[in-house]
Amino acid sequence: MAKVPYLMPEKIERAATALLVGYERKFGPVDGVSVPVDEILESHLGLTLDFADLPARLGCPDVLGATWIKERNVVIDQSLDPDSHPGKEGRYRFTVAHELGHWELHRHLFEEMPGQLSLFGDEEKQEPIVCRTRSSKDPMEWQADAFAGYLLMPKERIFRVWREKFGELTPYLAVDEVADKSARWGLSEDNTPTVDIAKEMAKRFLVSGQAMQIRLVGLNLIRTKIVAPALVG
């Protein structure tokens, strides 16, 4: 595989926005604010979506999703099947969006590979893009995570819902709530709890509270830390 190029967050966001816009041009505006990632994958891009016991199939204990480029097939681990595990819907949707990120941002890197043998010994198949939780800091995985966040939580939709609730784009200062929850639950400084407004917004977008909080912090709608004033010399 070719080296994964660095991508600016703005470029990743534009790619996610373009995918959603392309879907809506073909099928019409999305009702509500939650983005139908499985429909985008299957109906818009023409990929197949399946569930399987991926750790057993791939021999990786921490794999949640995999994409076979040549076969145009995305497989999600069966532990995230929202029909069997409704509580995992947010994690499922993020994983699907993450695989869409690989498809949009990285498939050309795999298409450039010479014919590789698959993990199953089938010479007609290439190795999949395997997404493991321990690989989240890899450039390709970080980019796919960023793409998923932009696709599932578009900035304009976030701003619209925030205005509906607060009337304007005033940041919520969550420092006291974070300190209270951290003290109550005995959390370390590196483990920021999810605040209530992030959980509430997450329900609207059908994502996890943690993913929503990361997005809201990135948009400066939630502040979980006190920002020290700049020194003026």
Side-chain angles (χ1 to χ4, degrees):
M1 183 183 67
K3 182 179 179 180
V4 178
Y6 174 74
L7 295 175
M8 293 287 290
E10 294 82 4
K11 185 171 183 178
I12 298 174
E13 184 170 18
R14 285 197 298 270
T17 300
L19 179 61
L20 180 56
V21 168
Y23 171 82
E24 291 190 314
R25 282 175 178 167
K26 187 185 296 186
F27 297 99
V30 173
D31 293 332
V33 295
S34 62
V35 174
V37 286
D38 41 7
E39 290 184 18
I40 291 175
L41 187 150
E42 294 181 300
S43 300
H44 181 51
L45 295 178
L47 310 180
T48 56
L49 178 63
D50 297 308
F51 292 97
D53 183 350
L54 281 178
R57 181 173 176 180
L58 299 176
C60 302
D62 58 345
V63 60
L64 295 177
T67 295
W68 279 261
I69 299 298
K70 185 177 180 181
E71 291 74 25
R72 302 177 63 86
N73 180 221
V74 172
V75 181
I76 306 299
D77 186 62
Q78 61 191 16
S79 67
L80 300 183
D81 185 343
D83 291 335
S84 302
H85 309 282
K88 297 290 185 68
E89 182 178 24
R91 180 71 254 189
Y92 159 73
R93 284 169 46 78
F94 194 90
T95 302
V96 172
H98 177 103
E99 299 304 318
L100 286 172
H102 283 313
W103 182 262
E104 293 294 293
L105 302 176
H106 305 132
R107 72 176 183 275
H108 67 283
L109 301 175
F110 283 72
E111 289 171 344
E112 292 168 2
M113 291 189 298
Q116 283 191 343
L117 299 182
S118 77
L119 296 178
F120 316 110
D122 186 343
E123 296 185 6
E124 296 299 319
K125 294 184 179 181
Q126 290 181 323
E127 290 185 358
I129 303 176
V130 177
C131 303
R132 305 175 65 182
T133 55
R134 70 178 65 178
S135 303
S136 59
K137 300 299 182 182
D138 292 347
M140 192 164 67
E141 293 303 294
W142 175 87
Q143 291 171 8
D145 271 353
F147 184 97
Y150 293 135
L151 180 63
L152 289 168
M153 296 166 281
K155 179 167 54 181
E156 293 75 14
R157 297 182 186 213
I158 291 285
F159 287 163
R160 184 169 78 242
V161 174
W162 194 267
R163 285 193 181 97
E164 289 173 0
K165 183 171 181 62
F166 296 106
E168 55 185 356
L169 298 179
T170 303
Y172 169 61
L173 303 181
V175 177
D176 291 341
E177 183 179 347
V178 166
D180 178 66
K181 290 180 183 291
S182 296
R184 224 181 323 148
W185 300 337
L187 301 177
S188 66
E189 292 185 2
D190 296 331
N191 192 355
T192 303
T194 304
V195 298
D196 292 342
I197 184 58
K199 294 178 181 178
E200 182 181 334
M201 293 278 287
K203 292 177 182 177
R204 293 285 302 275
F205 287 80
L206 302 181
V207 298
S208 70
Q210 182 183 31
M212 177 57 72
Q213 181 153 304
I214 291 171
R215 184 68 168 130
L216 292 173
V217 169
L219 291 171
N220 196 36
L221 292 177
I222 286 181
R223 296 177 184 172
T224 59
K225 297 180 181 180
I226 298 176
V227 179
L231 297 176
V232 179

